[in-house]
Amino acid sequence: MRNLLSEHQYLRFVGTGDGELWAGDAVREGIGEFFGVIPRFLKHEETFAEAFENGDSGWACLAHDIVFADQPDRTFHVRNTLIFALEEGVWKIVQRHGSVPIPNIDFTGIEQNAIADLVAAARKGFSLDQRDGFASIMFSDIVNSSRLASMIGDRLWSSEVARHFDMLRKIIEDAGGQFVKSLGDGTMSSFPEPAHALRAAQAILQATVQSDGPVIALRIGIHTGNIIQTSDDFFGSVVNKAARITALAAPGEIQVSDATRKMVGETHDYRFANATSVELQGFEGEHLIHRLG
């Protein structure tokens, strides 16, 4: 973990114990011994994880269930938040905060249920603007981003990525799709028809090749099915499967699920090749994917 920590003096490390608030070199030099004395785990399960970025800054939130070998009958719930900064093209932790939850009633003497009640209502289907729908989800990912960032510098690379996203947004929207969000150096978009997604994917690769900026290699993945949409995002196994398919694409490739291929069919506009049966993390069995020619 030492290599993930910032080398600047603004590094801050907040532990779960009283007085565990440290800064700078003391954190970096002592981090190995700090975690080295933790008892052996009988169980270590990540129950929640998400991360975001905005320009040169990033942040993450994680939750874990832990059972220690010396306390086998007790499960500890640990939360961590991390703040990152880009340093020479690499994400480095500038602040870590760990906590072990204490019920509000024990801490303040008052039950604070407003957020919990809102989340419970959302889970029952009452979140704002939530609706089911059928869509093709497309992910794109820049393959060589770390190398390019180190070559041209973080600030110039951030500007280039923003320009790249603007280009993708226009192509996606011109094809009848919705640019949902950017994810690091990648994007997620949604289309009402599979053919719209394929047309946008082809146009994106062509525009990337013709760009006068740094040579960017993209991988793209598409899957089609039922999704759950809120006011500004999409959820469901379709989204997860599209992301897994994207990870299997080679630089400059478009990989699509068998469901997407069957809905489009073989036409003069879209030709599929190299049908491959693969395992996808989080999904049972084998799944057929195709390279879009």
Side-chain angles (χ1 to χ4, degrees):
M1 186 173 178
R2 182 181 185 278
N3 293 331
L4 298 176
L5 299 178
S6 171
E7 298 182 4
H8 291 279
Q9 287 300 313
Y10 52 64
L11 171 65
R12 298 293 182 269
F13 190 95
V14 183
T16 57
D18 185 31
E20 293 184 347
L21 173 58
W22 301 294
D25 292 336
V27 179
R28 203 166 36 255
E29 297 306 321
I31 197 69
E33 294 183 13
F34 178 81
F35 285 109
V37 298
I38 293 177
R40 181 174 60 87
F41 295 148
L42 291 181
K43 173 186 176 183
H44 182 198
E45 179 182 355
E46 186 177 81
T47 59
F48 177 82
E50 63 179 6
F52 308 90
E53 70 170 85
N54 184 18
D56 294 344
S57 301
W59 55 99
C61 180
L62 307 100
H64 304 264
D65 284 347
I66 296 174
V67 177
F68 294 109
D70 60 347
Q71 302 181 69
D73 298 325
R74 187 178 181 187
T75 300
F76 291 89
H77 308 288
V78 181
R79 289 90 57 89
N80 286 283
T81 56
L82 302 170
I83 300 176
F84 299 87
L86 271 177
E87 295 180 7
E88 298 182 354
V90 178
W91 287 111
K92 295 283 189 174
I93 298 170
V94 295
Q95 179 173 312
R96 178 264 187 183
H97 189 170
S99 68
V100 178
I102 300 174
N104 289 325
I105 189 67
D106 294 344
F107 183 60
T108 66
I110 299 173
E111 286 282 8
Q112 296 168 273
N113 296 324
I115 295 177
D117 291 343
L118 182 62
V119 171
R123 287 175 176 169
K124 292 179 181 178
F126 295 106
S127 60
L128 295 177
D129 298 327
Q130 181 171 315
R131 58 189 184 275
D132 294 333
F134 190 82
S136 290
I137 298 297
M138 180 178 78
F139 282 91
S140 72
D141 180 51
I142 300 176
V143 179
N144 52 353
S145 59
S146 297
R147 181 176 60 83
L148 287 171
S150 64
M151 288 174 57
I152 68 177
D154 295 338
R155 191 169 301 278
L156 184 57
W157 175 241
S158 296
S159 175
E160 185 61 34
V161 169
R163 187 171 76 95
H164 171 73
F165 285 166
D166 287 342
M167 179 188 72
L168 264 60
R169 181 187 296 274
K170 183 178 187 309
I171 292 173
I172 290 164
E173 292 177 351
D174 286 349
Q178 175 185 348
F179 186 102
V180 178
K181 59 185 175 182
S182 59
L183 305 145
D185 294 329
T187 67
M188 172 184 168
S189 53
S190 173
F191 299 82
E193 298 290 340
H196 296 178
L198 300 186
R199 183 164 65 249
Q202 290 177 325
I204 286 170
L205 286 189
Q206 183 177 4
T208 302
V209 171
Q210 295 175 348
S211 173
D212 57 0
V215 178
I216 291 177
L218 281 185
R219 55 166 64 98
I220 296 177
I222 302 170
H223 180 46
T224 304
N226 286 312
I227 52 91
I228 298 174
Q229 180 181 0
T230 63
S231 56
D232 61 355
D233 210 342
F234 292 80
F235 304 91
S237 61
V238 173
V239 175
N240 296 332
K241 189 170 182 177
R244 298 286 185 260
I245 291 172
T246 305
L248 296 177
E253 272 191 357
I254 304 167
Q255 290 285 349
V256 305
S257 67
D258 196 47
T260 302
R261 184 201 66 81
K262 287 178 178 177
M263 292 194 65
V264 173
E266 290 282 355
T267 70
H268 292 296
D269 296 322
Y270 310 111
R271 295 191 178 278
F272 304 94
N274 296 3
T276 308
S277 184
V278 298
E279 293 183 355
L280 299 176
Q281 182 181 351
F283 294 87
E284 295 183 356
E286 297 280 326
H287 302 263
L288 201 60
I289 61 174
H290 307 262
R291 180 171 59 81
L292 176 64

